[in-house]
Each structure stands twice: as structure tokens, then as C-alpha cells.
């Protein structure tokens, strides 16, 4: 394993601080209203440090999305690789999906990212490529969860998979307006039912 130099460690620390601060400010203010100087201050860095690591507010915004997406994918894949049976893999995948309710900031950010890309055609391609990280080309992982699928079954499976993210984001957004009905406990129960309906083999 390669050992990082002190300079490389400082760079990684600064980038991590900026991304964490950016998430806080973007969730609070949205992309349009977020200010780079506030992000820098929240990270304990200068505004110049932001431009050292990111070309613009848009670049920082998309870098945050890429980082958070990759973190979630790595977490899911690490969990699945530890499973020793298809049943265990499906249970791990279901648990991962239901546990998304704990990260309310990510759901808000996902909606913000999509609105951002929708309104900026020039950024849509970068967003699309990042989003495709979640569509694994690792057939061994897919087979471990869903087993061997025919071509038609794979199409149906892809439809179900692509519905998962928007379902979570939409319900969590709605929970801000109906907190008594859509409590975390209720959301977890509802997401579990939705997952079982999309993937009957898991129930």
C-alpha cells in the first residue's frame, strides 16, 4: 500500500473539509444561493483554497455528488462481497436501501443535483456519467443478488433498480411536510414494503 506524503495528506484533508462544508451549505441554501466564501469559512479554509482544488462552485457541487455517489456504491459493494448466499446478498441489499432514510441530507442533495443538471445541459453529461456509477457492470455482483437472469428479466430488474433512488428521495422530501405520518420508523416500513414489491424474491 502506497504511503502518502505530508503534502498529499494535507491536500486530502483540505478536500475532505471542503466537501463536508459544501454539503452543509448546499443542503441549507441550495446551489444558487450557496456562497463559496461561506463554504470556505465552514471548512476553516480561505476562498482561495476552494479555487486551488475546484474550478468553480459548479465543479465543487459536481465533485461532491461524485464523491457521495462513490462512497455509497463502495459501501454497498463491500457489504455484498461479504455475503455467502443469494438470500444473504438480497437481505444486505434490502437493508442498504431501507437504511438510506438515515441520510436525509443525501436525498435533498440528490434532488438538488438533478434540478441543477436539468437546467444546465452542459453539465448534464457529467451528471449522467456520475449517476451511472450506480449501474454496476460487475455481473458477478448482480448475479450474487438476483441470480442468473434472462434478457427480459434483466430489463425488468433494471426498471426496478432505477426506481429505488427516486422513491427514497421523494418520500424523504415529503417527510419534511408530513413528519408525523412519515416518521423514520414509518419510512423504513414503507421502503421495505416497496422493495419487496419490486423484488418479490426478497420477501
Amino acid at each position: 500500500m502506497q504511503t502518502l506524503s505530508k503534502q498529499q495528506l494535507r491536500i486530502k484533508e483540505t478536500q475532505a473539509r471542503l466537501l463536508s462544508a459544501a454539503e452543509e451549505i448546499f443542503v441549507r441554501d441550495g446551489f444558487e444561493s450557496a456562497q463559496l466564501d461561506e463554504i470556505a469559512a465552514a471548512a476553516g479554509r480561505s476562498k482561495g483554497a476552494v479555487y486551488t482544488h475546484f474550478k468553480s462552485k459548479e465543479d465543487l457541487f459536481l465533485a461532491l455528488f461524485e464523491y457521495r455517489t462513490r462512497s455509497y456504491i463502495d459501501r454497498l459493494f463491500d457489504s455484498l462481497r461479504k455475503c455467502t448466499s443469494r438470500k444473504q446478498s438480497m437481505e444486505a441489499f434490502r437493508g442498504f436501501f431501507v437504511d438510506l432514510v438515515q441520510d436525509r441530507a443525501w436525498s435533498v442533495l440528490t434532488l438538488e443535483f438533478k434540478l441543477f443538471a436539468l437546467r444546465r445541459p452542459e453539465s448534464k453529461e457529467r451528471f449522467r456519467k456520475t449517476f451511472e456509477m450506480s449501474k454496476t457492470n460487475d455481473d458477478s455482483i448482480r448475479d450474487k443478488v438476483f441470480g442468473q437472469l434472462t434478457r427480459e428479466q434483466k430489463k425488468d430488474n433494471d426498471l426496478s433498480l432505477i426506481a429505488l433512488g427516486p422513491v427514497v428521495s421523494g418520500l424523504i422530501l415529503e417527510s419534511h411536510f408530513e413528519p408525523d405520518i412519515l416518521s423514520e420508523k414509518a419510512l423504513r416500513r414503507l421502503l421495505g414494503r416497496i422493495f419487496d414489491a419490486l423484488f418479490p424474491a426478497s420477501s
Side-chain angles (χ1 to χ4, degrees):
M1 185 175 180
Q2 186 179 7
T3 302
L4 298 177
S5 68
K6 289 183 178 180
Q7 181 180 7
Q8 289 172 319
L9 287 171
R10 283 196 297 269
I11 290 172
K12 286 180 69 69
E13 181 190 2
T14 295
Q15 289 176 335
R17 282 175 172 266
L18 289 171
L19 289 171
S20 177
E23 178 172 334
E24 176 188 343
I25 304 300
F26 284 135
V27 168
R28 188 191 72 190
D29 299 340
F31 175 79
E32 296 293 348
S33 299
Q35 299 295 318
L36 286 180
D37 53 354
E38 286 195 55
I39 292 173
R45 297 292 188 270
S46 67
K47 189 174 180 180
V50 179
Y51 286 113
T52 298
H53 296 276
F54 305 99
K55 297 176 183 177
S56 61
K57 183 169 75 167
E58 176 180 317
D59 187 46
L60 173 58
F61 192 55
L62 291 172
L64 173 61
F65 179 66
E66 291 167 350
Y67 170 76
R68 292 287 261 113
T69 300
R70 174 52 59 195
S71 297
Y72 264 124
I73 292 170
D74 289 346
R75 188 190 309 175
L76 174 60
F77 282 15
D78 286 346
S79 175
L80 292 175
R81 289 189 183 101
K82 295 174 185 176
C83 297
T84 57
S85 67
R86 184 184 167 197
K87 180 180 179 181
Q88 196 177 69
S89 298
M90 183 64 85
E91 288 173 351
F93 183 38
R94 186 183 191 275
F96 172 84
F97 173 65
V98 172
D99 284 345
L100 289 175
V101 300
Q102 296 176 335
D103 193 349
R104 296 169 69 86
W106 175 237
S107 294
V108 173
L109 279 173
T110 299
L111 292 169
E112 188 78 22
F113 287 131
K114 289 184 177 180
L115 288 171
F116 168 84
L118 186 66
R119 293 164 181 163
R120 292 168 178 78
E122 69 278 6
S123 300
K124 198 171 183 179
E125 183 63 15
R126 181 173 172 184
F127 178 89
R128 185 187 63 79
K129 287 180 179 179
T130 303
F131 181 70
E132 284 185 347
M133 289 180 186
S134 59
K135 301 175 184 177
T136 174
N137 291 319
D138 189 340
D139 289 335
S140 64
I141 292 291
R142 181 187 288 269
D143 292 348
K144 200 169 187 180
V145 179
F146 303 108
Q148 294 287 335
L149 301 176
T150 66
R151 187 174 180 180
E152 288 304 312
Q153 287 174 328
K154 186 176 181 297
K155 286 183 180 179
D156 287 341
N157 187 256
D158 287 343
L159 283 174
S160 295
L161 287 171
I162 205 168
L164 293 180
V167 164
V168 175
S169 296
L171 284 173
I172 290 183
L173 177 64
E174 195 64 28
S175 73
H176 288 277
F177 301 95
E178 297 288 352
D180 293 335
I181 298 174
L182 293 173
S183 63
E184 181 175 329
K185 183 178 180 181
L187 282 171
R188 295 178 71 89
R189 187 168 66 249
L190 185 56
L191 288 176
R193 288 163 58 186
I194 290 171
F195 186 93
D196 294 340
L198 290 171
F199 305 103
S202 67
S203 55

